[in-house]
Amino acid sequence: MGKKGKAAARERREERRQEVTLLRAVPYEPHQRWWDGLAPARAVAVVTGASRGIGYEISRQLALHGLHVVLASRDAARGRDAAERILREEEAASAEWRQLDVADAASVEAFAAWTARTHGGIHVLINNAGVNFNRGADNSVEFAEQVIETNYFGTKRVIEAMLPLLKPSPYGGRIVNVSSRLGRANGRRNKIGDAILREQLLTDDCLSEELIDGMVIKFLEQVKQNSWSSIEWPQMYTDYSVSKLAVNVYTRLMARRLSDRSEGQKIYINCFCPGWVKTAMTDWEGNISAEEGADTGVWLALLPQEQATIGKFYAERREISF
């Protein structure tokens, strides 16, 4: 892309950013606030990786809209502080913290058991917990195993544990996976080099857990053997991109499994890219705020039932390609 093309792309992004800012300022109409229909109880939302950054901001915005939010995170001090901050700053907010390490199966099991005992179930699950050890022009795969374990297997582990706890309702349960455009199978600059694998990942009838798990295991084996190639795998932030590619494809797989549920039992699962956000994960080098980055995830979680979608990928409140 030449200088003119890049400038035009930046202009389009800025225009859409301003449009979404205006949309965010529009209050939900009473008939759109499906979560109010659950009164006298509040709708319960669980947000993983909620102690800071996008996870915290999603939690804050959901609490502001009137949901009870469980902020889940590994770090106890940060997590408690985050929940207390929401309660201090938002007068009518309802929030609490609970420890959760998505990379630890026992932690996930204990969290699910606590949620069942304490709340009987939930209405919204936001899978935000994730790690990325690369910054700037770096592309190390030194921590690839931890990245894949947290970002993909952790997300999958939480969904499997929490899926039975999504409460039946006329409005449908909501699962939102925080992902990235870097995880596109056919991205212009960061795509999978293996054309056969790429086609399988983009073909719904080919999708299976075995395919997705096999892809990430193959990548990790190549990393251990130091035989991985940027020709075969995404070129930018390779381990992070592979993990988010797996999340994107798993979202579509789960959507297929959930799509034939009857009315009153429906669960809507989607993923979104928050953009390049100014958070600790990007060393504060992003170009949008956490408030802006969280917006599409909150929007997906709160979509009126008649507008709810399943198995889609979004950015700036618009559907984008996988």
Side-chain angles (χ1 to χ4, degrees):
M1 185 184 294
K3 289 184 178 179
K4 288 185 178 179
K6 289 181 180 179
R10 281 195 299 271
E11 187 175 335
R12 287 194 298 272
R13 285 197 299 270
E14 183 56 32
E15 286 177 358
R16 183 56 185 170
R17 180 182 178 184
Q18 292 175 11
E19 288 172 3
V20 173
T21 299
L22 293 174
L23 289 171
R24 194 162 61 248
V26 177
Y28 287 87
E29 297 290 337
H31 71 276
Q32 295 176 314
R33 294 174 58 92
W34 59 263
W35 54 99
D36 287 346
L38 302 170
R42 289 190 190 230
V44 178
V46 166
V47 183
T48 70
S51 63
R52 62 183 185 177
I54 295 169
Y56 170 78
E57 187 57 36
I58 289 175
S59 301
R60 189 189 70 81
Q61 292 185 30
L62 289 175
L64 186 63
H65 283 298
L67 285 77
H68 174 77
V69 182
V70 179
L71 290 83
S73 69
R74 286 180 302 171
D75 190 298
R78 282 180 178 166
R80 289 193 182 96
D81 178 68
E84 289 169 4
R85 221 180 325 150
I86 289 173
L87 294 173
R88 283 197 309 268
E89 295 175 6
E90 311 297 345
E91 187 176 340
S94 179
E96 64 185 318
W97 171 81
R98 190 72 182 178
Q99 192 160 40
L100 172 65
D101 181 353
V102 302
D104 181 341
S107 176
V108 173
E109 184 179 345
F111 179 84
W114 171 85
T115 303
R117 288 194 311 272
T118 308
H119 297 289
I122 64 172
H123 303 89
V124 175
L125 171 63
I126 310 286
N127 288 300
N128 168 73
V131 293
N132 177 24
F133 294 95
N134 286 303
R135 301 289 186 271
D138 296 342
N139 193 30
S140 168
V141 292
E142 179 182 356
F143 301 103
E145 191 166 353
Q146 185 177 345
V147 171
I148 298 291
E149 181 61 41
T150 302
N151 297 3
Y152 168 56
F153 286 114
T155 295
K156 181 178 169 182
R157 190 176 290 119
V158 171
I159 289 174
E160 289 172 348
M162 301 301 290
L163 195 59
L165 299 182
L166 280 158
K167 291 183 176 181
S169 83
Y171 315 106
R174 313 296 173 95
I175 301 176
V176 180
N177 296 327
V178 181
S179 191
S180 172
R181 288 183 179 94
L182 292 175
R184 282 171 156 175
N186 203 23
R188 189 172 65 249
R189 294 177 296 174
N190 212 41
K191 66 184 178 184
I192 288 286
D194 183 333
I196 295 175
L197 176 59
R198 189 167 68 242
E199 185 63 26
Q200 290 175 325
L201 294 172
L202 290 169
T203 304
D204 284 352
D205 289 342
C206 294
L207 296 185
S208 67
E209 286 190 50
E210 291 76 18
L211 175 69
I212 307 168
D213 291 358
M215 175 189 70
V216 299
I217 290 168
K218 177 183 177 182
F219 170 67
L220 290 175
E221 287 175 348
Q222 290 184 5
V223 168
K224 287 179 181 177
Q225 297 164 3
N226 198 29
S227 62
W228 73 279
S229 166
S230 60
I231 296 173
E232 183 176 0
W233 302 104
Q235 297 79 47
M236 183 177 181
Y237 298 168
T238 303
D239 54 4
Y240 179 80
S241 297
V242 169
S243 74
K244 291 304 186 180
L245 169 61
V247 168
N248 289 346
V249 180
Y250 184 71
T251 301
R252 287 171 43 226
L253 175 64
M254 287 303 300
R256 288 187 68 197
R257 292 177 176 175
L258 297 170
S259 61
D260 60 354
R261 288 199 166 203
S262 59
E263 292 297 327
Q265 302 290 326
K266 290 189 176 297
I267 296 174
Y268 302 102
I269 182 170
N270 297 282
C271 54
F272 82 102
C273 175
W276 192 241
V277 183
K278 296 175 184 175
T279 64
M281 184 179 281
T282 64
D283 271 351
W284 311 101
E285 292 179 351
N287 52 27
I288 62 172
S289 68
E291 180 181 1
E292 292 171 297
D295 174 76
T296 298
V298 174
W299 172 75
L300 280 170
L302 300 184
L303 272 177
Q305 195 272 338
E306 63 273 12
Q307 296 176 27
T309 62
I310 186 167
K312 306 295 185 183
F313 190 17
Y314 289 87
E316 293 89 39
R317 298 197 183 192
R318 283 179 174 168
E319 184 180 348
I320 60 175
S321 69
F322 282 98

